[in-house]
Amino acid sequence: MPAMPLPALGETLKPMRIAGFVIGALFALALAGGPARAEAMRIGVAAPLSGPSQLLGEQIRNGALEAASAPDITLEVADDTCTGEGGVNAAQRFVDAKVQIVVGFLCTESIEAALPILKQANIPVITVGVRTDSREKTGWPVFRLGPRADSEREAAGRLLTRLWRDELFAVIDDGTIYGRELAESFRTVAEQSGLKPVFTDTFRPQLDNQIGLVGRLRKAEATHVFVGGDRDDIAIMARDAKKIGTDIIFAGGENLRSAPGDVPLAQGTLMVALSEWSDMATPAAISKLGAKGIVPEGYVLPAYAATEIAIAAVTETTDTRKPLAETLDSREFSTSIGPVRFNDKGDLSANPYRLFRFDGSRFLPLDVQ
């Protein structure tokens, strides 16, 4: 019987090599305690956790912690103290911890001191409270969940000129920088839209009555008045207008959301302001925070949403290898306070200010087409 041919030496060793490789891999995994895991995502959180703004800083920390509850996410929380020195110390801590992105920063002083260090380390920032344009000052990507400083003025002009296009309106202010800028911006937008107020004036604030002012408004036949001033003055004007038998609708800015004074605000008063974060939040987010005993007030929800955006952006960047700032610039993010998109300046692409009407007990949103 003819002898069976022997297999070539290489063919004999091939199965042995494969078996050895498998055994070696299993041994390495056993030593490592299981399959290899990706490095944890690292996110910095800058908040004033001491000093007069500590309560607001704790809101930022609580919101961020609840949004980043997954075990593969590490938060590096730093107290920026709302000062330049605190901002520098926080930024250096983030660099040393090798965070990929930072959320938080409530104060201009701290973020402007931190940005040169974060820029050098290639770490972008999502801020929840700063309204100044830090991106233009430093050339480094800063993304804002809060509005720009001029957002209230822009919204007041745009929304109320649409609503009052066929009305006889007046524009008055209390002489403060805030009141004057708000009123002047409204008047300018109105005139650019082809509308001219029937009366303009600067009034003396904090008087017990404004009979003389509302008398002049009645003489000018104004039926709607935009006021650059505070809640108490607007409430007194509406009360006195009713006293002399003239029907005037008053409107103002977000100062109307301050605490009520001795004179109640008139029903029908209009306000241009931000929506309450809790009114924008999803039930799931409110429920999750409530389960931990966290009241969704102040900066809790903005910090929660900023952290959600940071997690989504870092995750996508890990997959696409695009720069993190480019990812933040290029897409819409789904968050617990609704969809968020940034424009090329790092601002919210849509002005978050809305128009509200007072119903006698609270402000309700008013849709303006």
Side-chain angles (χ1 to χ4, degrees), residues 278-337:
S278 56
D279 292 337
M280 301 166 59
T282 62
I286 298 295
S287 176
K288 183 178 180 182
L289 292 167
K292 296 291 184 67
I294 299 172
V295 179
E297 60 185 359
Y299 289 95
V300 171
L301 285 165
Y304 193 108
T307 306
E308 288 179 310
I309 294 170
I311 293 169
V314 172
T315 301
E316 181 172 324
T317 298
T318 302
D319 296 335
T320 63
R321 302 298 179 184
K322 289 196 307 185
L324 188 51
E326 184 179 330
T327 299
L328 289 164
D329 266 327
S330 63
R331 55 160 285 192
E332 182 174 278
F333 294 89
S334 177
T335 79
S336 295
I337 56 171

Side-chain angles (χ1 to χ4, degrees), residues 46-48 53 56-57 60 80 82 104-108 110 127-130 299:
S53 299
L56 302 179
I60 293 173
D80 67 16
C82 262
F105 282 118
L106 190 59
C107 303
T108 302
S110 56
T127 175
V128 299
V130 177
Y299 289 95

Side-chain angles (χ1 to χ4, degrees), residues 202-213:
T202 297
F203 65 91
R204 185 178 173 186
Q206 299 179 353
L207 297 179
D208 292 336
N209 74 78
Q210 293 287 355
I211 292 289
L213 174 63

Side-chain angles (χ1 to χ4, degrees), residues 230-243 246-252 256 260-271 356-364:
D230 64 23
R231 178 179 176 128
D232 287 345
D233 287 326
I234 293 174
I236 290 171
M237 289 175 198
R239 179 203 64 188
D240 292 349
K242 186 176 181 180
K243 277 184 181 179
T246 186
D247 187 17
I248 298 177
I249 294 175
F250 290 89
L256 282 167
D262 294 334
V263 178
L265 204 59
Q267 185 173 346
T269 301
L270 301 176
M271 175 182 70
F356 299 83
R357 175 180 282 135
F358 190 64
D359 71 351
S361 60
R362 60 188 182 131
F363 283 99
L364 298 177

